């Protein structure tokens, strides 16, 4: 047995060093925060808490450092563990929920807090993210007196998103801030100019914003790639302006460059992809679908926007991307994927009408127009405040499907366009197709009544009355048509209405028609024409031997005839290298005909000697002097020879069609 080794004596334990002073730890903590070293700041804050558990300042510094380091989950855990502290961390918790896109929970938490400047600013940002732009703008206006840095940027963004771009310039004048005070503000103001269709001004301001941004970010010592990333929204917006100006090639080039270089933030990249797809339309659908796949969550089998994109895009932007995805799938005839994607959109965008419109589009593509009409009708009844575009879509679907009554019913439920000439004409046509003549006449009467009392500059009364009279005359209501024509003549002095009135009244009251006929202005050149004698004639008869130019010559009698201009003789143009003095032999006029159709064609003769030897070897050859009956018998006894001969003859007669020339093939394609 081996001897046991002696254990070495253990070294004496070193005396534990005293922890650093609280003051030194806070000094180190402040230094790390100033240098944006947030991970180190969290470690120092933990050291402080190990010495002084429950220190409010240390907990607050730790939470803020975790948020700055994008460790939102850890920040929420730290807030949860600090419940025993008397300090209220609800604001920090609301901000963490905002970063996690749990907007409703964050807003509910803020509503329970006192209205401080930071809480109001965070509430404004949450409302902006939720799409409640007017409420966000109201909070920003209340904070104007506080003189918060960059507040005007959020205010202008809220006004543009709320559809109040016309108020931007007045707001800037009120707070006395120039549009070029920062590149972010210049960018937002350019968006308001785009909304106002001032595209050239928006282009110039975007170029200025890019220059200011490059100067500002260069002074901050940012790398070139980081600068390009920060200015990516300006590049995308410039491409969008070029797209609106009709400079499609420049816009496509800019979008493609941004996507391929991948030097843009997630929202700018997604906007560039969406706009490029919109420009291309149904062209190259597979490539467009692949580009959209770059925006989805990588681990998801279904199309779902990546979390980083979903957090930063507005609801309207996200809805547009999903809608374009559905349209591309419809163009690609991928009905299963389109149906699957459309089914989840109502839950994602509950306040929008786009999901139900896309559902109807899918159903129409599947030849289920009746189901589409039913879905649109139910939505219009459930949400009457959003029913206008739904009813118009239902009318279009029903009209295309051959359901004029449903289309007319849908149009009749849109009150603000009810008496417009285009709507009236559409309703009358639809009711005519449905066989409801009285209903069509009622639409016209209602429109006439409305326009008579309407106090508008562009009064369309005369147009509608004229069309109503024509409609009633067409459907046998002469008295009502005559009344409308008479009203037009008395009120507007319309010559066309006067002609219609005379034509209409002539069927009912000839004397009245003659009375109105006197109001017509005489046509020039008809004073010497005897109308009675003209009516008694049986019509013009052709004169034998008279040339077509005889009448023209008679009309031109007595007038000096102009001498015909001499036509200038031009030299004929010959092919290159052709000498007209020595033209050579003329070309063959049949050079373009197939050989077998030319006059010089001679078919090859058959070898008669091959026909002399018949039958098997050693057979007796008959003498030529034998009677012809034997030849007749042999011909009838050998039907195969007749079949082969006839088939050859058929092949010669039915010549195969020649290939078409290039020009004829082009014409056949057209």
């Amino acid at each position: 047995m081996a001897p046991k080794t002696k254990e070495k004596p253990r070294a004496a334990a070193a005396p534990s060093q005293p922890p650093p002073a609280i003051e030194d730890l806070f000094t180190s903590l402040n230094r790390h925060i100033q240098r944006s070293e947030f991970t180190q700041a969290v470690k120092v804050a933990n050291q402080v808490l190990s010495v002084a558990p429950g220190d409010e300042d240390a907990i607050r510094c730790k939470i803020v450092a975790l948020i700055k380091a994008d460790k939102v989950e850890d920040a929420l855990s730290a807030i949860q563990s600090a419940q025993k502290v008397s300090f209220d961390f609800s604001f920090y918790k609301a901000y963490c929920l905002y970063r996690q896109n749990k907007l409703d929970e964050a807003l509910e938490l803020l509503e329970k807090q006192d209205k401080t400047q930071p809480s109001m600013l965070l509430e404004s940002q949450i409302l902006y993210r939720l799409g409640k732009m007017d409420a966000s703008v109201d909070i920003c206006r209340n904070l104007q007196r506080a003189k918060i840095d960059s507040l005007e940027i959020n205010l202008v963004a809220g006004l543009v998103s709320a559809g109040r771009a016309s108020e931007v310039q007045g707001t800037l004048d009120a707070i006395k801030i120039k549009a070029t005070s920062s590149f972010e503000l210049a960018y937002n103001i350019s968006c308001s100019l785009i909304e106002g269709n001032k595209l050239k001004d928006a282009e110039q301001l975007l170029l200025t914003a890019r220059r200011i941004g490059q100067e500002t970010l260069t002074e901050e010592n940012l790398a070139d790639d980081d600068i390009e990333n920060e200015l990516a929204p300006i590049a995308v917006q410039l491409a969008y302006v070029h797209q609106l100006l009709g400079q499609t090639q420049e816009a496509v080039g800019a979008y493609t460059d941004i996507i391929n270089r991948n030097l843009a933030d997630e929202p700018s990249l997604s906007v560039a992809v969406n706009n490029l797809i919109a420009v291309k339309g149904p062209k190259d659908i597979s490539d467009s679908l692949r580009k959209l796949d770059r925006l989805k969550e990588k681990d998801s089998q279904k199309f779902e926007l990546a979390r980083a994109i979903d957090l930063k895009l507005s609801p309207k932007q996200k809805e547009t991307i999903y809608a374009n995805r559905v349209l591309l799938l419809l163009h690609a005839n991928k009905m299963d994927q389109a149906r699957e994607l459309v089914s989840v959109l109502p839950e994602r965008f509950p306040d929008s009408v786009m999901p139900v419109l896309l559902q109807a589009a899918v159903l129409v593509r599947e030849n289920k127009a009746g189901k589409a009409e039913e879905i649109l009708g139910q939505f219009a009844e459930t949400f009457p405040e959003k029913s206008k575009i739904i009813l118009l879509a239902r009318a279009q679907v029903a009209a295309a499907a051959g359901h004029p009554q449903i289309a007319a019913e849908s149009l009749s439920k849109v009150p603000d366009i009810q008496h417009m000439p285009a709507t009236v004409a559409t309703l009358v046509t639809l009711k005519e197709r449905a066989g409801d003549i009285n209903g069509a006449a009622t639409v016209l009467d209602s429109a006439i009544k409305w326009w008579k009392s309407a106090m508008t500059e562009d009064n369309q009364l005369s147009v509608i009355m004229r069309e109503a009279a024509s409609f009633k005359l067409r459907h046998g209501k002469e008295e009502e048509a005559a009344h409308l024509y008479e009203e037009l003549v008395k009120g507007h002095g319309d010559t066309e209405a006067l002609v219609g009135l005379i034509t209409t009244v002539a069927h009912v009251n000839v004397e009245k028609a003659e009375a109105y006929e006197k109001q017509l202005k005489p046509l020039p050149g008809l004073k010497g024409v005897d109308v009675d004698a003209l009516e008694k004639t049986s019509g013009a008869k052709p004169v034998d031997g008279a040339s077509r130019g005889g009448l023209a010559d008679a009309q031109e009698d007595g007038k000096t005839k102009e001498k015909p201009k001499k036509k200038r003789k031009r030299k004929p143009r010959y092919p290159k290298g052709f000498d007209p003095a020595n033209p050579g032999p003329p070309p063959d006029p049949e050079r373009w005909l197939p050989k077998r159709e030319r006059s010089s064609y001679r078919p090859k003769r058959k070898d008669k000697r091959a026909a002399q030897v018949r039958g098997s070897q050693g057979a007796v050859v008959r003498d030529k002097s034998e009677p012809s009956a034997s030849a007749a018998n042999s011909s009838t006894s050998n039907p195969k020879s007749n079949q082969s001969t006839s088939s050859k003859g058929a092949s010669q007669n039915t010549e195969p069609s020649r290939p078409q020339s290039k020009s004829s093939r082009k014409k056949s394609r057209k």
Side-chain angles (χ1 to χ4, degrees):
M1 187 173 179
K4 294 181 180 180
T5 57
K6 295 182 179 180
E7 296 180 358
K8 294 182 180 180
R10 293 180 181 178
S16 60
Q17 296 180 356
I22 293 291
E23 293 79 3
D24 296 337
L25 290 175
F26 271 109
T27 302
S28 177
L29 179 60
N30 182 54
R31 183 172 63 252
H32 288 309
I33 291 175
Q34 293 296 329
R35 295 177 181 176
S36 299
E37 299 170 351
F38 301 114
T39 304
Q40 298 297 326
V42 172
K43 293 179 180 179
V44 175
N46 287 331
Q47 291 179 3
V48 174
L49 291 173
S50 65
V51 176
D55 188 281
E56 294 180 3
D57 295 331
I59 295 174
R60 187 162 56 248
C61 290
K62 178 182 177 180
I63 293 171
V64 173
L66 288 170
I67 292 173
K68 291 286 188 179
D70 290 332
K71 298 179 180 179
V72 181
E73 291 287 346
D74 296 339
L76 282 172
S77 300
I79 293 171
Q80 188 70 22
S81 61
Q83 288 183 348
K84 297 180 181 180
V85 182
S86 60
F87 185 80
D88 188 8
F89 291 100
S90 298
F91 172 77
Y92 297 100
K93 184 178 181 180
Y95 184 79
C96 291
L97 293 172
Y98 162 74
R99 289 286 298 273
Q100 290 183 330
N101 206 33
K102 298 178 181 178
L103 304 178
D104 294 326
E105 296 180 31
L107 188 61
E108 183 180 357
L109 196 60
L110 281 177
E111 289 175 351
K112 299 177 182 178
Q113 305 299 314
D114 295 334
K115 298 296 182 181
T116 61
Q117 291 181 8
S119 65
M120 291 176 67
L121 189 59
L122 178 58
E123 184 180 358
S124 173
Q125 292 175 346
I126 293 173
L127 291 170
Y128 181 86
R129 187 78 65 83
L130 286 170
K132 300 177 181 180
M133 305 303 175
D134 291 326
S136 176
V137 169
D138 292 340
I139 294 176
C140 287
R141 289 194 182 279
N142 293 333
L143 290 172
Q144 283 183 8
R145 298 178 182 178
K147 297 182 180 180
I148 301 174
D149 292 339
S150 304
L151 179 65
E152 66 277 0
I153 298 175
N154 293 349
L155 179 58
V156 173
L159 287 172
V160 175
S161 301
R164 297 159 60 181
S166 58
E167 302 178 21
V168 170
Q169 190 58 47
T171 302
L172 293 177
D173 295 340
I175 59 180
K176 298 179 181 180
I177 292 181
K178 294 183 179 180
T180 56
S181 60
S182 66
F183 70 92
E184 297 98 334
L185 181 61
Y187 168 81
N188 286 345
I189 294 174
S190 69
C191 295
S192 70
L193 294 174
I194 293 173
E195 290 293 325
N197 203 28
K198 299 177 181 179
L199 302 179
K200 287 294 184 181
D201 296 340
E203 182 182 15
Q204 294 301 318
L205 189 56
L206 284 170
L207 293 172
T208 304
R210 184 169 63 182
R211 177 180 56 79
I212 296 172
Q214 288 174 345
E215 295 174 356
T216 304
L217 298 175
T218 303
E219 291 176 358
E220 296 178 2
N221 297 323
L222 265 70
D224 292 341
D225 289 349
D226 294 335
I227 292 176
E228 193 165 355
N229 199 339
E230 288 288 334
L231 300 180
I234 299 177
V236 175
Q237 200 73 337
L238 263 174
Y240 179 61
V241 171
H242 292 155
Q243 177 185 342
L244 295 179
L245 288 171
Q247 302 169 6
T248 308
Q249 295 298 328
E250 294 182 17
V252 170
Y255 291 140
T256 306
D257 183 62
I258 292 168
I259 295 169
N260 292 340
R261 296 180 66 186
N262 202 18
L263 289 176
D265 57 326
E266 290 87 354
S268 300
L269 180 64
S270 59
V271 172
V273 169
N274 179 79
N275 290 0
L276 179 60
I277 291 171
V279 172
K280 292 168 63 176
K283 298 179 182 178
D284 201 358
I285 298 173
S286 58
D287 180 66
S288 298
L289 288 172
R290 283 195 299 270
K291 283 184 168 58
L292 273 182
D293 286 338
R294 295 179 57 177
L295 308 181
K296 75 172 188 177
E297 196 72 39
K298 293 182 180 179
D299 299 333
S300 176
Q301 296 295 330
K302 302 177 181 179
F303 183 79
E304 185 176 355
L305 288 177
R307 182 172 179 78
I309 297 175
D310 190 69
L311 289 175
K312 296 180 180 179
L313 289 180
S314 67
K316 185 177 180 181
Q317 290 173 324
K318 290 185 284 188
E319 181 186 74
T320 303
I321 292 175
Y322 279 107
N324 284 341
R325 174 80 176 186
V326 173
L327 295 177
L328 286 175
L329 291 173
L330 290 178
H331 282 296
N333 205 26
K334 297 182 178 181
M335 302 306 300
D336 293 337
Q337 297 182 33
R339 197 183 306 109
E340 182 182 7
L341 182 57
V342 161
S343 63
V344 300
L345 293 184
E347 184 179 354
R348 290 181 180 274
F349 309 104
D351 298 330
S352 175
V353 299
M354 185 58 69
V356 70
L357 291 175
L358 293 174
Q359 284 182 347
V362 172
L363 290 171
V364 170
R365 187 63 182 271
E366 294 176 337
N367 295 325
K368 298 178 181 178
K371 184 66 175 176
E373 295 167 11
E374 181 182 351
I375 289 177
L376 293 171
Q378 291 175 355
F379 187 91
E381 293 178 0
T382 308
F383 304 98
E385 69 280 0
K386 304 175 185 177
S387 63
K388 180 177 179 179
I389 189 171
I390 298 297
L391 290 171
L392 291 174
R394 184 171 183 252
Q396 182 179 1
V397 171
H403 305 151
Q405 193 64 40
I406 297 176
E409 176 193 350
S410 300
L411 273 182
S412 301
K413 294 180 180 179
V414 186
D416 54 344
I417 63 169
Q418 201 62 208
H419 305 295
M420 294 294 106
T423 309
V424 173
T426 307
L427 280 171
V428 169
T429 304
L430 290 171
K431 287 185 178 294
E432 269 190 301
R433 290 182 181 177
D436 187 6
I437 305 301
N438 293 330
T442 303
V443 170
L444 289 168
D445 294 340
S446 176
I448 291 172
K449 183 179 179 180
W450 190 88
W451 281 106
K452 283 182 178 180
S453 59
M455 304 297 292
T456 57
E457 295 180 1
D458 54 341
N459 201 316
Q460 303 291 331
L461 179 60
S462 59
V463 176
I464 294 179
M465 287 181 67
R466 192 181 302 115
E467 294 299 325
S470 176
F471 171 84
K472 293 186 176 184
L473 183 61
R474 189 166 62 249
H475 290 283
K477 300 181 179 181
E478 287 85 0
E479 294 185 3
E480 296 181 19
H483 178 72
L484 289 173
Y485 278 133
E486 190 172 9
E487 192 172 348
L488 273 173
V489 171
K490 292 180 178 179
H492 301 83
D494 194 343
T495 304
E496 185 178 349
L498 180 58
V499 174
L501 175 60
I502 295 170
T503 307
T504 306
V505 175
H507 296 283
V508 182
N509 191 341
V510 179
E511 296 179 357
K512 191 174 183 179
E514 291 178 349
Y516 277 110
E517 185 267 338
K518 295 178 181 179
Q519 298 182 16
L520 289 173
K521 296 180 180 179
L523 294 176
L526 294 180
K527 292 182 179 179
V529 177
D530 189 354
V531 179
D532 296 333
L534 189 61
E535 289 180 350
K536 293 178 181 179
T537 59
S538 59
K541 295 181 180 180
V543 181
D544 295 337
S547 63
R548 294 185 178 180
L551 182 60
D553 294 337
Q555 291 178 352
E556 294 293 333
D557 190 17
K559 297 182 180 179
T560 57
K561 296 183 179 180
E562 297 181 358
K563 295 182 179 180
K565 294 182 180 180
K566 294 182 179 180
K567 293 184 179 180
R568 181 181 177 184
K569 293 183 179 180
R570 297 186 179 182
K571 294 181 179 180
R573 298 179 65 182
Y574 297 108
K576 188 177 181 180
F578 177 75
D579 185 9
N582 300 310
D588 185 7
E590 298 179 350
R591 62 190 182 279
W592 302 120
L593 294 175
K595 286 185 178 181
R596 63 176 65 249
E597 294 182 11
R598 299 180 187 179
S599 59
S600 60
Y601 174 72
R602 295 291 182 271
K604 292 183 180 180
R605 295 184 179 181
K606 298 180 182 178
D607 191 358
K608 295 182 178 180
R609 291 175 296 177
Q612 291 178 359
V613 179
R614 297 182 181 277
S616 60
Q617 193 173 15
V620 179
V621 180
R622 297 182 181 278
D623 191 11
K624 294 181 179 180
S625 60
E626 289 185 3
S628 60
S630 62
N633 293 332
S634 65
S635 65
T636 55
S637 63
N638 190 8
K640 291 185 179 179
S641 61
N642 290 336
Q643 291 175 4
S644 62
T645 305
S646 62
S647 64
K648 287 182 181 178
S651 65
Q652 290 178 4
N653 292 333
T654 58
E655 179 189 353
S657 60
R658 294 179 289 107
Q660 294 179 336
S661 64
K662 292 183 179 180
S663 61
S664 64
R665 284 201 296 270
K666 290 180 181 178
K667 290 179 181 178
S668 65
R669 289 195 194 102
K670 293 179 181 177

